[in-house]
Amino acid sequence: MSDMHRLHTNDLELGATDAVQRHISRTVVPPAQVSQRKLDFEHSRPRWLRECMAEATGVFFYVFPGIASVASFTINLASPQGVTAFGSLFQIGWAFAIGIAFAIITCAPTSGGHFNPAITICFAIWQGFPWKKVPYYIVSQIFGAFIAGLLMMGMYWPEIQAYSAALTKAGVPLVSNGGPASILCTIPGETQTNLGYLFMTEFFVDSFIGIVIWAALDPANPFVSATSAPFVIGLAYANMVWGFAGISISTNLARDLGTRMVAAIFYGPTVFSFNNYSWIAILVNVPATIFATAYYEFLMRDSIQRIGAGHAVHEEGEEGLVRHFTNRGLMEGGTTNMLQGNGSGSDEYETGKREHGYLDSQGAK
């Protein structure tokens, strides 16, 4: 049979494409039924414990691959195979980025997915997150980073010991930029002695990340979906790692403090006193993130869009929203009658809501 008769214009030639034609739909075997014992157990778990463990686990997922990538890069700086065979700043940035995405995907459904004390504080300031939960969220986040640091040291211990011995023989301090302590926490370089410079670098890097996080989490933002938000947030961190890791940044109080405590166990308190820098790495993230989220809240947030998307309500309900539209001149009289169900003024009300995105063009919420 000629090709003219075998193939039509839109046909696929025989080969691997046969899977398209002959693909068999299969039914997944249903899982075991949920027992009452399991439901009772899950109901009995303290909510605060689940949230704490989720925050600790999320920070672990974020920090562990990141510092493991730093370890691989650092201890092979003098490798005869070349350090690029084992890592680079590009790889480190991706390790943190994907770790953050996995942390959000895995743990955010349980705790909300903060994974950063500064973000927890900002949620309390702007979004109504309970202040009573802030302390134990922060402790859990630091604990997650601490466990990540301990586990990484255990897994890389022979290599780190050999690297430390080589540095000691060469007269290089272990607490220095490029030393084993810097695998765990940020240690500035020899030329980075200006604390004001280090402060401003950390402040602007953290502000950049904070604005991206707040924009990615804004339900009125049409450019970020729920499924893409974890990767957008992770890439914001990676973006700053690629650009500024060479001049010392921390980006997260929990990440730095938790792993710095591990560094102190192995290399002494010098990790906290070195060049009086540690307070910048630990604390600057908080005011920087508050500044970033305030910038977004005051200059870029559109709360009417949030209400229209069904993600928020006016504090005084529909009556408060009507009053807002009326005061802005979007509605003329009849408000009281409308609220009483008489229908007068409803056209102006619906128009005002539609113009601000509260209703779509068909009048549906």
Side-chain angles (χ1 to χ4, degrees):
M1 184 181 295
S2 67
D3 284 349
M4 185 67 72
H5 292 89
R6 287 182 62 247
L7 298 176
H8 297 288
T9 304
N10 61 340
D11 283 346
L12 300 173
E13 183 55 276
L14 186 66
T17 51
D18 198 34
V20 177
Q21 176 74 13
R22 300 184 180 181
H23 185 74
I24 301 173
S25 297
R26 302 190 179 193
T27 303
V28 178
V29 175
Q33 295 179 336
V34 178
S35 67
Q36 186 60 46
R37 178 182 297 180
K38 182 175 178 62
L39 291 176
D40 292 340
F41 167 75
E42 292 178 357
H43 181 72
S44 67
R45 296 174 301 182
R47 183 182 178 91
W48 69 266
L49 180 61
R50 295 177 62 229
E51 291 173 341
C52 284
M53 293 309 299
E55 283 295 298
T57 304
V59 174
F60 177 90
F61 272 32
Y62 149 45
V63 174
F64 183 65
I67 59 176
S69 187
V70 173
S72 176
F73 175 74
T74 302
I75 63 180
N76 288 290
L77 285 171
S79 171
Q81 296 172 281
V83 65
T84 54
F86 298 93
S88 64
L89 282 180
F90 187 67
Q91 175 186 309
I92 292 169
W94 275 112
F96 278 110
I98 297 174
I100 289 168
F102 287 166
I104 296 172
I105 291 167
T106 305
C107 303
T110 301
S111 67
H114 300 188
F115 313 137
N116 183 334
I119 293 297
T120 298
I121 292 170
C122 288
F123 272 120
I125 293 173
W126 306 115
Q127 302 292 342
F129 182 75
W131 280 102
K132 66 180 181 180
K133 289 187 176 183
V134 170
Y136 67 75
Y137 262 56
I138 292 176
V139 170
S140 301
Q141 292 157 359
I142 295 170
F143 177 72
F146 180 80
I147 295 300
L150 280 180
L151 186 58
M152 189 282 298
M153 287 296 290
M155 296 175 73
Y156 268 97
W157 184 243
E159 292 79 10
I160 291 176
Q161 280 290 82
Y163 180 63
S164 298
L167 290 182
T168 301
K169 185 177 180 180
V172 178
L174 301 184
V175 180
S176 61
N177 187 271
S182 68
I183 294 173
L184 291 161
C185 57
T186 305
I187 304 291
E190 293 180 0
T191 60
Q192 295 173 313
T193 57
N194 187 324
L195 295 183
Y197 167 81
L198 291 169
F199 176 94
M200 294 308 296
T201 299
E202 185 70 40
F203 189 92
F204 283 110
V205 163
D206 296 348
S207 296
F208 179 98
I209 294 171
I211 291 175
V212 174
I213 291 174
W214 230 234
L217 298 180
D218 187 347
N221 188 339
F223 298 102
V224 182
S225 66
T227 52
S228 66
F231 299 96
V232 171
I233 294 170
L235 282 172
Y237 279 86
N239 201 216
M240 293 296 97
V241 169
W242 296 330
F244 298 99
I247 55 174
S248 301
I249 57 173
S250 165
T251 74
N252 188 325
L253 184 160
R255 188 210 72 79
D256 191 89
L257 179 56
T259 53
R260 196 174 291 272
M261 290 190 293
V262 176
I265 292 173
F266 290 95
Y267 305 109
T270 306
V271 296
F272 282 98
S273 60
F274 186 86
N275 286 359
N276 296 317
Y277 166 77
S278 64
W279 69 271
I280 293 176
I282 296 170
L283 297 178
V284 172
N285 179 242
V286 175
T289 307
I290 293 174
F291 165 79
T293 54
Y295 182 91
Y296 191 90
E297 291 288 340
F298 290 130
L299 299 179
M300 302 170 75
R301 174 78 75 188
D302 187 343
S303 294
I304 290 292
Q305 290 289 346
R306 289 183 66 209
I307 294 173
H311 293 283
V313 295
H314 194 285
E315 63 181 354
E316 297 177 15
E318 288 282 298
E319 183 177 352
L321 193 60
V322 169
R323 188 180 303 112
H324 167 78
F325 288 134
T326 302
N327 292 341
R328 297 300 178 270
L330 295 172
M331 293 170 54
E332 300 176 358
T335 302
T336 303
N337 290 334
M338 182 192 63
L339 292 174
Q340 292 174 348
N342 294 334
S344 177
S346 61
D347 290 343
E348 291 90 346
Y349 176 61
E350 298 300 320
T351 299
K353 291 170 73 179
R354 184 173 292 113
E355 288 180 355
H356 280 69
Y358 192 63
L359 296 176
D360 61 24
S361 58
Q362 285 73 43
K365 281 191 178 182

